[in-house]
Amino acid sequence: MSMNISCPFCGDRPLEEFAYGEVYDIPESITDPDERNLDRAFFYNNTAGVQREAWFHSYGCRRWIYIQRDTITDRIVKHE
Amino acid sequence: MKIIVDGTPIEAEAGESVLAAMLKANVHPTGGGCLCCGGDCPHCLATVDGVSYMRTCQVHVHPGQVVQRHHYGQVEPPMPQGNAGSLDVPTRHVFCDAVIIGGGESGQAALATAQAAGQTVMALDANQGQEAIGIYAGPMVVAKTATEMLQIHAKQDVIVATGAAEIQPVAPGNMLAGIYTTRAAEQLAQQGVQLGKVAVLGPVPKNVWHFPITGRIVRFEGEGAVSAVVVEQDGVETTHACDGVVVGLGFHPRNALARQGHDMAQVRTVGDAALASDIPPCPVSGVVCPCSGITVDDLQYTWDSGFRELELVKRSTLAGTGTCQGSCCIPHMRSFLADRGKELQAPFTARPVTKQLTVEEIAAGAHFHPQAETALHGEHIALGAQMERSGSWWRPWNYGNYEAEYWAVREAVSIMDVSTLGKMLLSGPDALEFLQMIYPTNVKTIKPGRSRYVLMLNDRGYVFDDGLIANEGNGVYALTFTSGGSSNSEMFLRDRAETFGMDIRLVNRTWGLSAINVTGPLAKAMLQKMGVSDLPNWLEHKHIDVAGIACHAYRLSFTGEWSVELHHAAQDSVALWRALLAAGEEFGIRPHGLETLRTLRLEKGHIIVGPDTGFDGTARRIHHNWAVNMKKPYDFVGKAAIIRTNKTELDKELVGMTIPDYTPIEGDIAFVDGQYAGVVTSSAWSPVLKKAVMLVMLQYIDGVLPTEVTLSGHTATRVDLPFYDKESARARA
Amino acid sequence: MPAHNHIEFTRLIATRIATTAAAADKLHAPAGSVMIRTAIDETLIFPPVPDISVDDDYAIIIEDGSYASAWLDIDFALRWLPYNCAWEMPTVRPAFAQGMIADIATKLYFEQERVLMIVPAPYAAEMAAHLAHGGHA
Ligand SMILES: [Zn+2]
């Protein structure tokens, strides 16, 4: 309830205005470029810590914005 | 005045609490437990005027008040119900620099400091009717007042100045009536409650008939109410006969609100709410958590099971998860774990709400999901349509006569409002390159004036939407999507444009463009009679005028009959709809709704992405390999996944099946020899074929696709798709 | 809780321009028209200016009726909004702001004495009902 995301275009808005989009974090153990490209579809890390996320501002400008969120504390550590 | 307690009227005096009135009538709200009169314990909870879990020490009496007791350890109280007339509780959003919770000394001091610093401040004082309910992420403080709920967005500080609570006694018999904290004894005496002659351990309450005792409480004795207390000092136990016991065991911070927001830097405690807690001696026996009925034995069992962390002991026992959110149990649980673990652990987190709310107060500020109306909504209503929620839209299910609508499409002419389709316009230097990366078809072969049905695949190669690409010439493309999929598809397109670094322009014009599908064997004649001579050919699209209205006309067919989809400005939609109905009158026109469309497209074997594809519908599984061009020189979205998954054996396939005399429901399970064999994804009675037709996601069994399955006791037989008009002679006519 | 039961939304016919951020920065609306930047690469101008020149060969310039709008008296708006909106309103005038209001994607164009409320046309009936009701439900 009322965690805010700051849209660089529209300003501070409640989380409910945004739709979540994954930014795939592919395990480093996969090194082959083709495999990395493919494995973002089927395997990716479930990060405990800071991860990059894309959020779509559905109720405002309808564009993607990017943030870094700590999944342990559920706090946004950076707006990109 | 009189109030009603468990159906019996009792005497009450204006200005006193419900608790005081009940105690004077010799009724303990929950049957027992140490009363605190500070709103910190669960021992005075009752349902008051339909709202359960009310702290009766905090509620003033009024004539005719209805109180129902919960009784400790008994069945759940009734669901909370608000008073008639309070159904509409509004929520008001407030923006400020600081929120100060608590109107006591420390709260007032914090208020003065904040104001001196020039902060805009919202001060919440429960005594003034502003009760803080919880602190949520943000931080946002939710509070209730007599008339509305407040959601207070604090930009800088949330200051919790809620004072301290008194520590409860834990010993055998601590759930008996007649036990009070020092402050409770004083307050009850002040309200005229006769406590009798009480034994006082610790500070002496004013104006209470008492005698002092010292030592550690070993147990409380009595039947229902305390008649004696046993204390131990220097190894000697002494029994004191008494009418009640007043305990002063120290204080701990009243900080449930702060413990809700403990990991937010903006949330701070001040005054007594920030004091270090007194820690009572390690409890030996008795109820530790009265809300959940957790005893010292229960804690010991949990300890013996290997739990060491206070947060985990809470989750394991459920101690601290009730109404008081740890106010009673935390000091004792900390003492218990410190005794065994030799370390004093921090108090556990708390959860909203800290005060009981009515259902209306909880629901305040929530909205029903808004439902969209097409420009033709009023026309549908006027024609008697039964409207249906379909995705985010209101859509006509039928206009009262499904059979007649169906046959109008099959034998005459019909129109349908398809304005809900997703519609976008794309241009830009990389437009074609972008489409080649997005869609599994070779977009380059779609010439200006032509259009093509396309699938949309995700990275896993699963179909998540379908639609149309129409080449408008000059590097501009008109794209359509499903009614439910346009928002998702816009997200997808914008995401991939950024990921691929494509220079494009994209406009989602779903809300501004309406669309009417004109279909049926007489549709063409009707349009020609309206003066439309330049209709596009099959799979072509053209900009033409119909009834003087500019239309983008697409020749395609989802109904299986001759069709043209007329896209036009939403503001022209009513005029076009009416002109078509008027012109069609002599041809027997009737509009049709979703019910008819769903049957028609099923007879033609057309899928609906979602119901028929599920979450893992690859082109292979849904028989759409023809829509995926693996040879085109682009690594389009999903291609890598298709290459990989195509190496595995096909495990299930979307197939057509029929039953002569029974229509299964969608979602029905198919069996072969009693074994699961698949699920019905679409099903309808076919008026033209006079049998049930269905799509089934059918499993391969031992490498073979079954030819017959059992559905709710009926035999379904696999047939080739489509069920009707296999040569598509009708659609392309 | 403030309510207003005779606010009527009418379809807002505008020129809608999708272009590069740089080209959008250079756009000028003719006097008497309102120009709002709804996204970094999208602009709405009303009443429509079909012959506007845009410094981008690939710009999409369409006449668009995707939205419906209604003027609200500023005093009413500022009393009603806190009951229906979880974000803070701009204080400068004129100002443009957009976000969720009563669960509907809404755009607001603030003038000194009034506010133009712009909603997706398909949701205009819902928003009118919210305005008539005052809040929630
Ligand atoms: Zn935005």
Side-chain angles (χ1 to χ4, degrees):
Chain A
M1 194 187 256
S2 200
M3 183 161 137
N4 272 14
I5 292 179
S6 186
C7 170
F9 189 77
C10 305
D12 247 26
R13 293 292 182 275
L15 180 73
E16 290 76 11
E17 295 197 7
F18 298 82
Y20 177 66
E22 288 162 302
V23 173
Y24 300 110
D25 182 14
I26 309 155
E28 280 171 20
S29 56
I30 299 166
T31 51
D32 179 74
D34 281 349
E35 286 293 303
R36 283 187 72 81
N37 180 38
L38 180 57
D39 276 299
R40 70 184 210 147
F42 295 100
F43 306 105
Y44 44 90
N45 279 338
N46 185 9
T47 306
V50 176
Q51 70 174 12
R52 189 162 186 259
E53 296 176 350
W55 289 80
F56 189 74
H57 194 190
S58 308
Y59 284 79
C61 58
R62 297 192 66 79
R63 297 295 182 272
W64 288 99
I65 65 152
Y66 298 90
I67 62 168
Q68 290 174 24
R69 185 176 64 99
D70 188 330
T71 61
I72 295 171
T73 60
D74 193 23
R75 295 285 176 269
I76 296 166
V77 296
K78 192 178 174 195
H79 287 90
E80 292 184 4
Chain B
M1 76 173 80
K2 292 228 186 322
I3 67 171
I4 315 293
V5 175
D6 287 348
T8 306
I10 66 168
E11 202 55 51
E13 271 176 56
E16 71 182 349
S17 67
V18 171
L19 172 65
M22 290 173 81
L23 291 177
K24 284 183 197 172
N26 244 337
V27 184
H28 191 290
T30 58
C34 175
L35 294 166
C36 72
C37 288
D40 299 312
C41 79
H43 298 130
C44 71
L45 295 176
T47 299
V48 180
D49 290 332
V51 183
S52 53
Y53 292 105
M54 292 295 284
R55 292 167 171 90
T56 55
C57 71
Q58 309 285 304
V59 184
H60 290 291
V61 292
H62 66 78
Q65 199 165 31
V66 177
V67 179
Q68 294 153 284
R69 295 198 295 161
H70 294 173
H71 301 291
Y72 171 64
Q74 288 191 5
V75 292
E76 295 289 314
M79 274 291 288
Q81 291 165 354
N83 303 324
S86 68
L87 279 167
D88 272 347
V89 179
T91 283
R92 183 159 60 91
H93 292 268
V94 178
F95 299 87
C96 58
D97 295 328
V99 182
I100 294 166
I101 304 166
E105 253 174 59
S106 57
Q108 286 174 22
L111 177 60
T113 307
Q115 284 173 336
Q119 287 184 312
T120 55
V121 184
M122 185 80 190
L124 300 174
D125 182 356
N127 293 322
Q128 304 296 318
Q130 301 141 326
E131 295 183 280
I133 298 304
I135 298 177
Y136 295 82
M140 178 181 75
V141 179
V142 175
K144 69 173 273 188
T145 72
T147 53
E148 60 189 16
M149 299 296 289
L150 299 174
Q151 291 191 10
I152 309 162
H153 307 264
K155 287 179 207 135
Q156 293 164 8
D157 301 308
V158 174
I159 293 172
V160 178
T162 42
E166 291 170 281
I167 289 173
Q168 293 257 326
V170 175
N174 63 345
M175 288 299 113
L176 291 168
I179 311 175
Y180 316 93
T181 65
T182 317
R183 289 198 302 220
E186 248 172 42
Q187 284 184 31
L188 290 170
Q190 202 178 359
Q191 292 182 78
V193 178
Q194 299 294 326
L195 304 180
K197 187 168 188 184
V198 296
V200 171
L201 185 70
V204 176
K206 288 185 215 96
N207 305 319
V208 173
W209 184 28
H210 73 280
F211 62 96
I213 58 172
T214 52
R216 178 183 66 86
I217 297 169
V218 177
R219 65 182 172 273
F220 301 94
E221 293 180 345
E223 290 289 325
V226 170
S227 57
V229 58
V230 181
V231 291
E232 175 266 340
Q233 201 162 22
D234 301 328
V236 181
E237 288 191 6
T238 314
T239 303
H240 300 283
C242 57
D243 297 326
V245 184
V246 175
V247 291
L249 300 174
F251 294 89
H252 68 108
R254 186 183 284 145
N255 59 5
L257 283 163
R259 283 185 286 115
Q260 292 170 12
H262 71 101
D263 56 349
M264 285 180 250
Q266 300 95 325
V267 179
R268 289 186 289 125
T269 50
V270 296
D272 285 355
L275 286 180
S277 174
D278 289 330
I279 300 298
C282 177
V284 179
S285 180
V287 174
V288 176
C289 165
C291 299
S292 302
I294 306 304
T295 64
V296 178
D297 287 349
D298 296 329
L299 293 185
Q300 186 61 46
Y301 176 82
T302 302
W303 175 267
D304 292 341
S305 307
F307 291 94
R308 296 291 181 267
E309 302 287 328
L310 180 55
E311 288 282 358
L312 296 182
V313 173
K314 169 192 172 181
R315 283 158 179 77
S316 170
T317 58
L318 299 185
T321 60
T323 312
C324 80
Q325 284 291 297
S327 185
C328 295
C329 65
I330 282 179
H332 297 288
M333 289 174 73
R334 293 177 77 194
S335 179
F336 177 91
L337 290 173
D339 178 71
R340 284 156 180 75
K342 310 302 176 200
E343 185 194 321
L344 192 61
Q345 299 184 33
F348 50 69
T349 50
R351 301 279 176 248
V353 298
T354 57
K355 292 280 154 52
Q356 180 61 322
L357 301 175
T358 65
V359 170
E360 290 82 355
E361 286 166 337
I362 291 168
H367 296 273
F368 289 117
H369 191 71
Q371 204 71 17
E373 299 176 356
T374 73
L376 295 170
H377 190 81
E379 299 298 295
H380 303 318
I381 301 289
L383 289 165
Q386 183 193 325
M387 302 302 284
E388 179 89 359
R389 283 188 169 88
S390 174
S392 56
W393 295 90
W394 283 115
R395 301 193 69 183
W397 181 245
N398 62 47
Y399 296 84
N401 193 339
Y402 161 67
E403 288 272 317
E405 290 165 35
Y406 174 88
W407 289 110
V409 181
R410 281 275 178 242
E411 295 184 339
V413 55
S414 181
I415 53 176
M416 182 176 181
D417 179 5
V418 291
S419 306
T420 56
L421 287 170
K423 297 171 283 296
M424 297 182 210
L425 204 56
L426 174 78
S427 96
D430 297 336
L432 176 59
E433 196 79 359
F434 178 59
L435 293 176
Q436 291 283 41
M437 288 298 290
I438 291 296
Y439 290 100
T441 192
N442 189 356
V443 182
K444 198 176 180 188
T445 58
I446 306 171
K447 300 297 175 198
R450 300 282 297 181
S451 64
R452 187 177 297 163
Y453 169 83
V454 282
L455 295 177
M456 297 194 82
L457 307 178
N458 63 20
D459 280 312
R460 296 164 175 82
Y462 302 148
V463 177
F464 75 91
D465 205 359
D466 64 358
L468 214 65
I469 298 177
N471 188 340
E472 288 264 54
N474 298 321
V476 178
Y477 294 86
L479 312 174
T480 72
F481 306 86
T482 60
S483 301
S486 78
S487 189
N488 258 343
S489 292
E490 183 186 0
M491 288 166 60
F492 179 79
L493 293 181
R494 294 198 187 282
D495 171 61
R496 291 311 154 108
E498 289 187 25
T499 308
F500 299 147
M502 296 283 181
D503 190 6
I504 59 158
R505 323 281 179 267
L506 183 70
V507 172
N508 186 345
R509 49 182 185 164
T510 303
W511 296 324
L513 268 193
S514 284
I516 297 171
N517 190 43
V518 187
T519 184
L522 305 184
K524 195 173 179 179
M526 179 192 84
L527 287 163
Q528 281 167 345
K529 193 154 185 189
M530 292 173 80
V532 183
S533 55
D534 49 352
L535 283 162
N537 295 315
W538 178 242
L539 297 185
E540 286 181 2
H541 63 102
K542 262 185 190 173
H543 292 269
I544 59 173
D545 277 6
V546 178
I549 291 158
C551 292
H552 190 183
Y554 295 80
R555 272 279 281 122
L556 49 96
S557 175
F558 197 50
T559 63
E561 296 292 338
W562 188 97
S563 300
V564 65
E565 219 170 82
L566 302 174
H567 293 213
H568 55 281
Q571 56 269 32
D572 296 332
S573 209
V574 170
L576 180 60
W577 178 264
R578 288 181 182 174
L580 290 166
L581 281 182
E585 201 170 345
E586 59 179 301
F587 295 90
I589 198 169
R590 250 177 199 281
H592 67 279
L594 275 177
E595 189 179 12
T596 289
L597 181 70
R598 291 184 67 124
T599 301
L600 291 164
R601 67 89 200 178
L602 181 54
E603 288 171 337
K604 200 72 186 70
H606 290 311
I607 58 162
I608 295 180
V609 172
D612 292 324
T613 54
F615 293 108
D616 61 354
T618 57
R620 194 165 63 135
R621 283 178 177 146
I622 65 164
H623 260 298
H624 275 59
N625 276 340
W626 55 269
V628 178
N629 185 333
M630 297 298 284
K631 295 202 181 81
K632 75 167 181 170
Y634 288 90
D635 287 332
F636 58 85
V637 178
K639 185 179 181 181
I642 293 171
I643 292 170
R644 179 181 278 194
T645 55
N646 273 358
K647 290 175 192 160
T648 63
E649 255 176 57
L650 190 55
D651 58 342
K652 58 183 178 180
E653 218 175 309
L654 191 68
V655 301
M657 302 195 98
T658 64
I659 302 178
D661 53 359
Y662 169 78
T663 312
I665 58 164
E666 292 174 354
D668 205 355
I669 304 293
F671 291 94
V672 171
D673 297 333
Q675 297 295 305
Y676 173 80
V679 60
V680 176
T681 62
S682 290
S683 169
W685 178 258
S686 166
V688 69
L689 299 171
K690 300 197 166 35
K691 58 185 174 186
V693 294
M694 65 213 72
L695 294 174
V696 181
M697 189 58 90
L698 193 59
Q699 302 281 325
Y700 278 82
I701 296 175
D702 299 328
V704 179
L705 204 57
T707 52
E708 275 188 1
V709 299
T710 305
L711 283 163
S712 297
H714 298 262
T715 300
T717 309
R718 183 151 63 84
V719 297
D720 285 340
L721 291 173
F723 299 101
Y724 182 64
D725 186 25
K726 291 199 192 308
E727 294 74 35
S728 285
R730 303 181 72 87
R732 296 174 195 224
Chain C
M1 171 177 52
H4 208 310
N5 58 16
H6 34 77
I7 287 170
E8 258 184 57
F9 283 85
T10 51
R11 197 173 288 272
L12 180 71
I13 308 299
T15 297
R16 193 166 166 194
I17 302 165
T19 182
T20 60
D25 286 343
K26 284 190 251 170
L27 285 173
H28 289 289
S33 62
V34 174
M35 178 167 83
I36 54 179
R37 186 89 167 260
T38 56
I40 190 80
D41 53 3
E42 205 170 310
T43 305
L44 218 53
I45 306 176
F46 47 88
V49 278
D51 49 0
I52 192 164
S53 73
V54 182
D55 185 19
D56 171 16
D57 292 344
Y58 298 95
I60 296 174
I61 306 167
I62 52 173
E63 184 173 289
D64 179 80
S66 289
Y67 300 97
S69 65
W71 285 103
L72 309 181
D73 175 74
I74 190 91
D75 293 335
F76 166 71
L78 293 180
R79 276 185 294 122
W80 182 88
L81 284 166
Y83 286 95
N84 293 275
C85 178
W87 45 277
E88 208 171 3
M89 291 300 144
T91 49
V92 296
R93 302 287 181 265
F96 171 66
Q98 59 186 353
M100 182 196 279
I101 297 177
D103 271 23
I104 292 168
T106 306
K107 305 176 193 304
L108 296 171
Y109 177 72
F110 289 87
E111 289 183 354
Q112 214 53 253
E113 301 294 325
R114 55 183 194 162
V115 186
L116 188 66
M117 178 181 261
I118 304 168
V119 297
Y123 293 102
E126 288 261 11
M127 187 57 93
H130 282 301
L131 287 162
H133 182 78
H136 56 103

Short mmCIF file of all heavy atoms in Angstrom, two decimals, chain A residues 7-11 13 17-18 57-63 65, chain C residues 38 98, ligand 1:
data_model
loop_
_atom_site.label_atom_id
_atom_site.label_comp_id
_atom_site.label_asym_id
_atom_site.label_seq_id
_atom_site.Cartn_x
_atom_site.Cartn_y
_atom_site.Cartn_z
N CYS A 7 8.29 8.43 -11.37
CA CYS A 7 8.38 8.39 -12.82
C CYS A 7 9.14 9.64 -13.26
O CYS A 7 8.73 10.74 -12.93
CB CYS A 7 6.99 8.35 -13.45
SG CYS A 7 7.02 8.58 -15.24
N PRO A 8 10.23 9.48 -13.99
CA PRO A 8 11.01 10.66 -14.37
C PRO A 8 10.19 11.64 -15.21
O PRO A 8 10.51 12.82 -15.27
CB PRO A 8 12.18 10.09 -15.17
CG PRO A 8 11.83 8.68 -15.48
CD PRO A 8 10.80 8.23 -14.50
N PHE A 9 9.13 11.16 -15.84
CA PHE A 9 8.33 12.06 -16.67
C PHE A 9 7.15 12.65 -15.89
O PHE A 9 6.86 13.84 -15.99
CB PHE A 9 7.81 11.33 -17.91
CG PHE A 9 7.17 12.24 -18.91
CD1 PHE A 9 7.96 13.03 -19.74
CD2 PHE A 9 5.79 12.36 -18.99
CE1 PHE A 9 7.36 13.90 -20.65
CE2 PHE A 9 5.20 13.22 -19.89
CZ PHE A 9 5.99 14.00 -20.72
N CYS A 10 6.46 11.82 -15.10
CA CYS A 10 5.21 12.25 -14.44
C CYS A 10 5.39 12.66 -12.99
O CYS A 10 4.57 13.41 -12.46
CB CYS A 10 4.17 11.14 -14.50
SG CYS A 10 3.84 10.53 -16.15
N GLY A 11 6.41 12.14 -12.31
CA GLY A 11 6.60 12.46 -10.90
C GLY A 11 6.31 11.28 -10.00
O GLY A 11 6.13 10.15 -10.47
N ARG A 13 4.48 8.68 -7.95
CA ARG A 13 3.15 8.09 -8.06
C ARG A 13 3.11 6.78 -7.29
O ARG A 13 4.12 6.09 -7.16
CB ARG A 13 2.80 7.81 -9.53
CG ARG A 13 2.63 9.05 -10.41
CD ARG A 13 1.41 9.86 -10.03
NE ARG A 13 1.21 11.02 -10.87
CZ ARG A 13 1.78 12.21 -10.67
NH1 ARG A 13 2.60 12.39 -9.66
NH2 ARG A 13 1.52 13.21 -11.48
N GLU A 17 -0.02 2.42 -9.89
CA GLU A 17 -0.12 2.98 -11.24
C GLU A 17 0.80 2.26 -12.23
O GLU A 17 0.76 2.53 -13.43
CB GLU A 17 0.27 4.47 -11.22
CG GLU A 17 -0.69 5.32 -10.43
CD GLU A 17 -0.55 6.81 -10.75
OE1 GLU A 17 0.20 7.15 -11.68
OE2 GLU A 17 -1.20 7.60 -10.07
N PHE A 18 1.65 1.38 -11.71
CA PHE A 18 2.68 0.77 -12.56
C PHE A 18 2.46 -0.73 -12.72
O PHE A 18 1.92 -1.38 -11.84
CB PHE A 18 4.07 1.00 -11.94
CG PHE A 18 4.45 2.44 -11.81
CD1 PHE A 18 4.00 3.20 -10.74
CD2 PHE A 18 5.26 3.05 -12.77
CE1 PHE A 18 4.35 4.55 -10.62
CE2 PHE A 18 5.61 4.38 -12.65
CZ PHE A 18 5.16 5.14 -11.57
N HIS A 57 4.48 2.65 -16.64
CA HIS A 57 3.58 3.60 -15.99
C HIS A 57 2.21 3.61 -16.69
O HIS A 57 1.87 4.52 -17.43
CB HIS A 57 4.20 5.01 -15.98
CG HIS A 57 3.49 5.94 -15.05
ND1 HIS A 57 3.72 7.28 -15.00
CD2 HIS A 57 2.53 5.69 -14.13
CE1 HIS A 57 2.93 7.84 -14.09
NE2 HIS A 57 2.19 6.88 -13.56
N SER A 58 1.44 2.57 -16.40
CA SER A 58 0.17 2.32 -17.10
C SER A 58 -0.82 3.48 -16.96
O SER A 58 -1.57 3.76 -17.88
CB SER A 58 -0.51 1.07 -16.54
OG SER A 58 0.36 -0.01 -16.53
N TYR A 59 -0.83 4.13 -15.79
CA TYR A 59 -1.85 5.15 -15.53
C TYR A 59 -1.35 6.56 -15.84
O TYR A 59 -2.06 7.53 -15.61
CB TYR A 59 -2.34 5.06 -14.08
CG TYR A 59 -3.28 3.90 -13.85
CD1 TYR A 59 -2.80 2.61 -13.69
CD2 TYR A 59 -4.65 4.10 -13.83
CE1 TYR A 59 -3.65 1.54 -13.50
CE2 TYR A 59 -5.52 3.04 -13.64
CZ TYR A 59 -5.02 1.76 -13.47
OH TYR A 59 -5.87 0.70 -13.28
N GLY A 60 -0.11 6.66 -16.33
CA GLY A 60 0.42 7.98 -16.62
C GLY A 60 0.91 8.05 -18.06
O GLY A 60 0.13 7.96 -19.01
N CYS A 61 2.23 8.14 -18.22
CA CYS A 61 2.79 8.37 -19.56
C CYS A 61 2.80 7.11 -20.43
O CYS A 61 3.09 7.19 -21.61
CB CYS A 61 4.22 8.91 -19.40
SG CYS A 61 5.28 7.81 -18.46
N ARG A 62 2.51 5.96 -19.82
CA ARG A 62 2.51 4.68 -20.56
C ARG A 62 3.87 4.41 -21.23
O ARG A 62 3.95 4.05 -22.41
CB ARG A 62 1.37 4.61 -21.58
CG ARG A 62 -0.01 4.67 -20.93
CD ARG A 62 -1.14 4.33 -21.88
NE ARG A 62 -1.10 2.94 -22.31
CZ ARG A 62 -1.51 1.88 -21.60
NH1 ARG A 62 -1.97 2.07 -20.37
NH2 ARG A 62 -1.44 0.68 -22.08
N ARG A 63 4.91 4.60 -20.46
CA ARG A 63 6.26 4.28 -20.92
C ARG A 63 6.96 3.51 -19.80
O ARG A 63 6.56 3.56 -18.64
CB ARG A 63 7.05 5.56 -21.24
CG ARG A 63 6.47 6.41 -22.36
CD ARG A 63 6.49 5.72 -23.72
NE ARG A 63 5.97 6.58 -24.78
CZ ARG A 63 4.68 6.65 -25.10
NH1 ARG A 63 3.77 5.92 -24.47
NH2 ARG A 63 4.29 7.47 -26.08
N ILE A 65 9.89 2.71 -17.12
CA ILE A 65 10.93 3.37 -16.33
C ILE A 65 11.74 2.26 -15.64
O ILE A 65 11.28 1.12 -15.54
CB ILE A 65 10.35 4.34 -15.29
CG1 ILE A 65 9.54 3.57 -14.25
CG2 ILE A 65 9.47 5.38 -15.94
CD1 ILE A 65 9.54 4.31 -12.94
N THR C 38 2.09 14.31 -23.11
CA THR C 38 1.61 13.17 -22.32
C THR C 38 2.69 12.12 -22.11
O THR C 38 2.55 11.26 -21.25
CB THR C 38 0.39 12.53 -23.01
OG1 THR C 38 0.77 12.16 -24.35
CG2 THR C 38 -0.77 13.51 -23.09
N GLN C 98 -0.61 13.94 -14.60
CA GLN C 98 -1.36 12.74 -14.98
C GLN C 98 -1.04 11.61 -14.02
O GLN C 98 0.06 11.50 -13.50
CB GLN C 98 -1.08 12.34 -16.43
CG GLN C 98 0.38 12.05 -16.74
CD GLN C 98 0.62 11.78 -18.22
OE1 GLN C 98 -0.32 11.68 -19.00
NE2 GLN C 98 1.88 11.65 -18.59
ZN ZN D 1 4.95 8.39 -16.14
#
